[in-house]
Amino acid sequence: MSISHEATQTNSAIGAEHIEWVQQLTSRARTAMNAVLEGKDEAVGLSLITLLAGGHVLLEDVPGVGKTLLAKAMGKVVDGSVRRIQFTPDLLPTDVVGVNLFNQETRHFEFRQGPVFANIVIADEINRASPKTQSAMLECMAENQATIDGTTYPMPSPFIVVATQNPIDMEGTYALPEAQRDRFMIRVSLGYPRMQDEVDLLDNQIAHDPLGSAQPASNLEQITQARDIVRHVGASRQLREYIVAILDATRNDQAIVLGCSPRGGVHLLRAAKARAALSGRTYVTPDDIQSLAPYVLAHRIIPRDGDDADLAADLIGRVIARVPVSANQ
């Protein structure tokens, strides 16, 4: 399903049939991913919101709870190119983006693409690499391109980075720079599974590979079309003012050293549009903003009492509670 040029000029042209198609597409993907992961439906849903909104997702938690499995599951259900980068302390920037090599036969330099040139890039344990190597991802994630020796190369479309990281207090980890965390649309903590889900995991994953039976539920063209529909979901001026009021509140909170950037507001609105579409609506509501704010904004602030993920999410919750919602929104 596609939207005509005329249809994209007004939000009202995004009709129920477009939204229903997006819902069906993501429902298939969600079912396929949930068949791989046990009890991680919320994380799966947030990952799909990020995919539709054209962002990147950061999965943060202790080892062994399914971060890499979720990233691989997304790669399986979207029929595009998938590359995995295992970040280690000795990884170099050229190992990520690529390098120009001299060809002895042609007597010219030739560019060898790095693994970042894929539709879905799994950046596994990204915070185990040095800050210099982590920074190699900045241009790719923000501008969908990479510049090597003065030449700019575009990323494939669509392009999404699904990064995993261990908590920063674990041995051998480097905290992600604030500028890089700001590139991620959503940060998700998976947590330990419920007891019954973990029993099912032992039953299902011992006998067979959970990814072995996963089948593509969508293709690149469908994802591109779905993103186009989501981009044109309606958002009133009052609702945009509500988002800016939330951002401003984080910048003037005595408990927060560094507040949210304008990019945080852009990402919050884009994610809210995706959530609205998945909820069957052609317009964004304050509930979309409030539900997603802890996932979209918490990793963009620095609490005064320490850079702690739970504390940051709690502070965002307090900000949401005190910023008034206009009756017209």
Side-chain angles (χ1 to χ4, degrees):
M1 175 175 290
S2 61
I3 306 175
S4 67
H5 174 73
E6 293 78 9
T8 59
Q9 301 307 305
T10 60
N11 291 323
S12 60
I14 307 302
E17 69 278 7
H18 298 104
I19 298 300
E20 183 180 0
W21 181 81
V22 172
Q23 284 184 299
Q24 292 174 351
L25 178 71
T26 52
S27 177
R28 293 195 301 270
R30 192 166 191 160
T31 300
M33 291 178 67
N34 279 328
V36 174
L37 297 125
E38 300 288 345
K40 303 297 182 184
D41 183 66
E42 181 183 38
V44 168
L46 289 168
S47 299
L48 291 174
I49 284 175
T50 309
L51 176 64
L52 291 180
H56 309 288
V57 60
L58 179 62
L59 305 174
E60 181 182 68
D61 220 314
V62 297
V65 295
K67 301 186 302 294
T68 304
L69 187 60
L70 190 153
K72 287 183 176 180
M74 179 179 289
K76 289 282 286 186
V77 301
V78 177
D79 193 15
S81 58
V82 181
R83 302 289 293 275
R84 180 174 179 265
I85 308 172
Q86 181 63 55
F87 282 75
T88 56
D90 60 347
L91 194 72
L92 299 175
T94 52
D95 295 329
V96 176
V97 297
V99 64
N100 283 311
L101 297 177
F102 187 72
N103 188 317
Q104 294 285 356
E105 295 182 358
T106 63
R107 311 298 294 177
H108 291 92
F109 282 94
E110 297 178 353
F111 177 59
R112 298 281 182 89
Q113 289 186 349
V116 76
F117 287 89
N119 295 118
I120 297 178
V121 178
I122 302 172
D124 210 5
E125 295 187 303
I126 189 171
N127 63 331
R128 287 200 178 278
S130 67
K132 181 178 181 180
T133 300
Q134 292 175 8
S135 67
M137 301 287 292
L138 289 178
E139 182 184 12
C140 305
M141 295 173 63
E143 303 174 41
N144 284 353
Q145 65 182 35
T147 302
I148 295 93
D149 293 338
T151 302
T152 299
Y153 302 90
M155 294 291 115
S157 181
F159 172 69
I160 178 173
V161 174
V162 183
T164 73
Q165 74 166 358
N166 297 324
I168 59 174
D169 56 349
M170 297 196 72
E171 184 178 356
T173 60
Y174 302 84
L176 290 181
E178 288 78 9
Q180 185 164 359
R181 288 194 298 183
D182 201 38
R183 262 67 172 184
F184 287 100
M185 176 174 286
I186 281 179
R187 179 176 67 180
V188 185
S189 178
L190 273 68
Y192 290 109
R194 295 174 302 180
M195 182 173 293
Q196 185 56 52
D197 291 328
E198 194 163 4
V199 171
D200 293 339
L201 182 150
L202 293 177
D203 289 340
N204 298 331
Q205 295 193 15
I206 295 300
H208 67 280
D209 178 8
L211 289 168
S213 59
Q215 298 295 324
S218 60
N219 56 46
L220 299 181
E221 182 181 0
Q222 290 173 329
I223 295 299
T224 300
Q225 292 174 350
R227 284 183 170 186
D228 190 42
I229 293 171
V230 166
R231 189 167 58 252
H232 293 96
V233 167
S236 68
R237 179 176 179 82
Q238 290 84 358
L239 189 135
R240 296 196 299 272
E241 291 174 348
Y242 177 55
I243 292 176
V244 173
I246 293 172
L247 301 181
D248 186 66
T250 68
R251 299 163 189 163
N252 295 284
D253 193 314
Q254 294 299 314
I256 298 175
V257 176
L258 178 67
C260 292
S261 68
R263 184 186 286 117
V266 173
H267 283 185
L268 182 55
L269 180 58
R270 284 164 53 186
K273 288 188 175 190
R275 185 180 187 273
L278 297 187
S279 301
R281 286 180 277 105
T282 60
Y283 55 88
V284 179
T285 68
D287 182 62
D288 296 318
I289 302 299
Q290 294 166 359
S291 297
L292 290 171
Y295 302 103
V296 178
L297 301 182
H299 61 285
R300 304 173 194 274
I301 67 171
I302 298 180
R304 188 171 298 278
D305 292 337
D307 193 4
D308 177 78
D310 292 335
L311 175 58
D314 182 63
L315 289 173
I316 292 298
R318 296 180 195 176
V319 168
I320 293 296
R322 70 171 183 266
V323 174
V325 180
S326 170
N328 296 326
Q329 293 172 356

